[in-house]
């Protein structure tokens, strides 16, 4: 018995270093470095199955990729001056890919990711990122942004003409200067903090919606939820035509007193009820011209509006 | 806990004596005949069987207790898995059950489209080639989203049964069905691209 144990120990002591050595070799991900010449406004499509993908705009007419690949993944790439497709392919068996791709600033960029977290910065052309399970961060001055992640979080901090962002249970966090945006989630919370807000539409089933910022005179705000609560924060001098309906919920809020004088408005006190539906339909703020419309529809959620505090 | 006494030897001497006899029968040569070795092996085997099977030792009791605990644990785990899967599957089942639909829902082409798309989704999810690269988190998120929208639809349906003229509830059902359809279509498009 003792001899068997000793024999077993000897076998283990022989095998263990070999196994550890093999795993160390496997964990050492292969390093990749490659480049392509492209036009300044080229269309570039990048694939990233897993790991981390960073995309950075630079002032050169070329695309460069560098970083490490997970075991089981290989690098591919090819195309022409006006269009290039590159990225990793295969299934990662060990380690994780970490890739940095530098593209011309004005590129039209498309990224498709499986579970990779994607971070895009410094690209001014159009950006379209689709991820199944990864988080997506996009930042910079961008022509237009389209981001979709099924289960990951989406964060956009941009000055842009247009944003389309969609997720199911991830968070949508949008900030910057936005001309037009359409944001959609199922249960993920949606947070917008922008100066100014142009035309903004938000749809969610159960996600919490929070909008903070100044609505542009030509802007509009349109929010639709089923059960998600809606919270709006405007500067105290915000002009807006409120059209708020909570079918089985409630509406509360506080609006600052007009500059000409008067007392602050308690929105809860001016709610009109039609059956179980709470309704507020009135303008806030002062000044001339058409007030930007703020329309909120919720079935079970609660609406709160705060335009009573001084904000930058 | 006391160790029970050894069982009495069998009248013919039992396997222990058989072992002794077999050892004694071994010839003095370096290489004994094959039948002697086979007798010895059989005797050793009988001895080991006796000690394992007929001696209910402390270890055996502990082993039995461990097996019982493991079986109880497995049963509890199985029950939890069953309950979880049943509760998760319920909304999908509800989606596929036409009997809970309101009459106007049955006439709505979106409902049929959603049911078709849900079937497509289930088929695609179980297609090992097509769904090989689909992350589990994403699949789970889509299932959760279907459950969330179906729960919301059920809630609006209840409101509509209580107040048949509730236009908001009717609109909510239509909007949520459209969301389900878009969700499934977008998800499969995106997943097929990766």
């Amino acid at each position: 018995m003792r001899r068997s144990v000793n024999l077993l120990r000897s076998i283990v002591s022989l095998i263990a270093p070999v196994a550890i050595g093999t795993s160390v070799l496997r964990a050492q991900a292969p390093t990749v470095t490659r480049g392509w010449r492209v036009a300044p406004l080229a269309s570039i499509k990048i694939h990233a199955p897993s790991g981390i993908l960073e995309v950075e705009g630079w002032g050169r007419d070329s695309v460069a990729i560098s970083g490490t690949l997970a075991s089981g993944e290989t690098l591919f790439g090819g195309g022409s001056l006006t269009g290039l497709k590159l990225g990793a392919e295969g299934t990662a068996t060990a380690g994780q890919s970490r890739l940095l791709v530098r593209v011309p600033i004005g590129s039209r960029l498309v990224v498709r990711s499986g579970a990779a977290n994607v971070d895009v910065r410094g690209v001014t052309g159009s950006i379209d990122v689709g991820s199944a399970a990864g988080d997506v961060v996009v930042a910079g001055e961008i022509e237009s942004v389209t981001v979709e992640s099924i289960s990951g979080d989406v964060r956009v901090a941009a000055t842009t003409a247009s944003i389309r962002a969609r997720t199911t249970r991830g968070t949508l966090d949008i900030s910057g200067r936005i001309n037009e945006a359409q944001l959609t989630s199922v249960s993920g919370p949606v947070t917008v903090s922008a100066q100014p807000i142009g035309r903004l539409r938000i749809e969610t089933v159960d996600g919490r919606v929070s909008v903070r910022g100044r609505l542009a005179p030509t802007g509009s705000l349109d929010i639709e939820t089923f059960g998600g609560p809606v919270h709006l924060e405007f500067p105290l001098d915000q002009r807006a035509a409120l059209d708020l309906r909570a079918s089985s919920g409630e509406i509360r809020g506080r609006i600052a007193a007009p500059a000409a004088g008067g007392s602050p408005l308690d929105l809860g006190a001016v709610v009109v009820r039609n059956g179980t539906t709470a309704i507020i339909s009135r303008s806030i703020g002062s000044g001339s011209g058409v007030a930007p419309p703020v329309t909120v529809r919720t079935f079970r959620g609660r609406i709160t509006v705060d335009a009573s505090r001084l904000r930058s | 806990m006391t160790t029970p006494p050894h069982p009495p030897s069998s009248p013919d001497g039992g396997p222990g004596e058989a072992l002794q006899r077999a050892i004694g029968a071994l010839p003095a040569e370096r290489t004994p005949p094959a039948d002697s070795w086979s007798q010895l092996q059989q005797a050793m085997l009988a001895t080991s069987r006796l000690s394992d099977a007929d001696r209910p030792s402390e270890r055996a009791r502990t082993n039995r207790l461990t097996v019982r605990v493991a079986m109880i644990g497995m049963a509890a785990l199985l029950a939890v898995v069953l309950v979880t899967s049943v509760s998760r599957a319920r909304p999908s089942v509800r989606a596929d059950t036409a009997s809970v639909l309101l009459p106007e829902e049955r006439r709505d082409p979106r409902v049929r489209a959603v049911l078709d798309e849900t079937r497509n989704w289930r088929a695609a999810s179980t297609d090992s080639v097509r769904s090989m690269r689909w992350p589990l988190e994403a699949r789970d998120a889509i299932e959760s989203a279907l459950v969330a929208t179906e729960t919301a639809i059920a809630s609006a349906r209840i409101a509509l049964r209580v107040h048949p003229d509730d236009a908001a509830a009717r609109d909510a059902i239509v909007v949520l069905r459209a969301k389900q359809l878009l969700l499934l279509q977008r998800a499969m498009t995106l997943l097929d691209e990766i």
Side-chain angles (χ1 to χ4, degrees), chain A residues 54-93:
Chain A
E54 291 176 274
V55 184
E56 199 174 78
W58 68 349
R60 298 185 190 180
D61 297 345
S62 59
V63 172
I65 185 167
S66 60
T68 52
L69 285 174
S71 295
E73 289 185 356
T74 54
L75 183 70
F76 73 94
S80 64
L81 277 176
T82 55
L84 183 69
K85 193 171 173 182
L86 70 152
E89 61 185 352
T91 306
T93 52

Side-chain angles (χ1 to χ4, degrees), chain A residues 45 47 90-91 112-115 130-133 148-151 166 168-169 186 203-206 224 226 247 276 299-300, chain B residues 133 135 137-138 140-142 144-145 148-149 152 155-156 159 166 168-169 172 175-176 179 182-183 186-187 190-191 193-194:
Chain A
K45 187 166 189 178
H47 282 261
T91 306
R112 290 294 176 263
S113 141
S131 174
E148 185 169 5
S149 180
I150 294 174
S151 61
R166 177 186 294 276
T168 58
R169 65 180 176 199
V186 175
E203 291 177 36
T204 178
V205 177
D206 289 325
E224 195 174 279
F226 182 84
S247 295
T276 57
F299 192 74
R300 291 212 186 284
Chain B
R133 293 180 186 165
E137 300 96 316
D140 192 43
I142 292 164
S144 300
T149 45
S155 171
D166 188 344
V175 168
L176 287 163
K179 279 189 199 301
L182 189 62
L183 165 80
R186 284 296 312 149
L190 183 59
L191 287 168
E193 279 189 66
I194 62 173

Side-chain angles (χ1 to χ4, degrees), chain A residues 248 299-300, chain B residues 154-166 169:
Chain A
S248 305
F299 192 74
R300 291 212 186 284
Chain B
S155 171
R157 202 180 279 136
I158 290 166
L160 203 51
R161 286 205 171 104
V162 176
H163 301 286
D165 57 342
D166 188 344

Side-chain angles (χ1 to χ4, degrees), chain A residues 23-218:
Chain A
S23 61
V24 166
L25 283 174
R26 290 180 107 192
Q28 282 176 351
T31 305
V32 291
T33 309
R34 210 170 151 189
W36 296 267
R37 205 171 132 240
V38 293
L41 303 177
S43 296
I44 295 160
K45 187 166 189 178
I46 305 171
H47 282 261
S50 64
I52 297 168
L53 171 68
E54 291 176 274
V55 184
E56 199 174 78
W58 68 349
R60 298 185 190 180
D61 297 345
S62 59
V63 172
I65 185 167
S66 60
T68 52
L69 285 174
S71 295
E73 289 185 356
T74 54
L75 183 70
F76 73 94
S80 64
L81 277 176
T82 55
L84 183 69
K85 193 171 173 182
L86 70 152
E89 61 185 352
T91 306
T93 52
Q96 79 168 1
S97 294
R98 190 181 182 109
L99 296 171
L100 170 62
V101 182
R102 292 192 170 93
V103 300
I105 291 173
S107 307
R108 283 174 296 172
L109 184 68
V110 175
V111 178
R112 290 294 176 263
S113 141
N117 292 334
V118 180
D119 187 344
V120 183
R121 56 185 179 269
V123 177
T124 58
S126 62
I127 295 174
D128 175 353
V129 182
S131 174
D135 297 339
V136 181
V137 177
V138 176
E141 288 188 22
I142 307 158
E143 185 184 308
S144 67
V145 180
T146 303
V147 185
E148 185 169 5
S149 180
I150 294 174
S151 61
D153 297 337
V154 172
R155 187 149 60 87
V156 179
T159 297
T160 179
S162 165
I163 297 178
R164 300 273 182 287
R166 177 186 294 276
T167 180
T168 58
R169 65 180 176 199
T171 62
L172 289 181
D173 186 350
I174 313 297
S175 62
R177 296 172 67 86
I178 300 161
N179 188 39
E180 189 258 332
Q182 285 193 23
L183 314 174
T184 309
S185 88
V186 175
S187 54
V190 182
T191 305
V192 178
S193 177
Q195 297 282 4
I197 301 167
R199 293 186 306 281
L200 174 60
R201 178 167 173 76
I202 300 172
E203 291 177 36
T204 178
V205 177
D206 289 325
R208 176 175 44 78
V209 176
S210 175
V211 177
R212 183 171 184 264
R214 178 180 292 282
L215 196 56
T218 54

Side-chain angles (χ1 to χ4, degrees), chain B residues 101-121:
Chain B
L101 298 176
L102 296 169
E104 56 262 48
E105 284 184 274
R106 284 188 202 139
R107 290 191 295 270
D108 187 350
R110 271 172 292 243
V111 175
R112 182 168 293 280
V114 168
L115 293 179
D116 287 345
E117 210 61 45
T118 307
R119 271 192 286 274
N120 290 342
W121 161 249

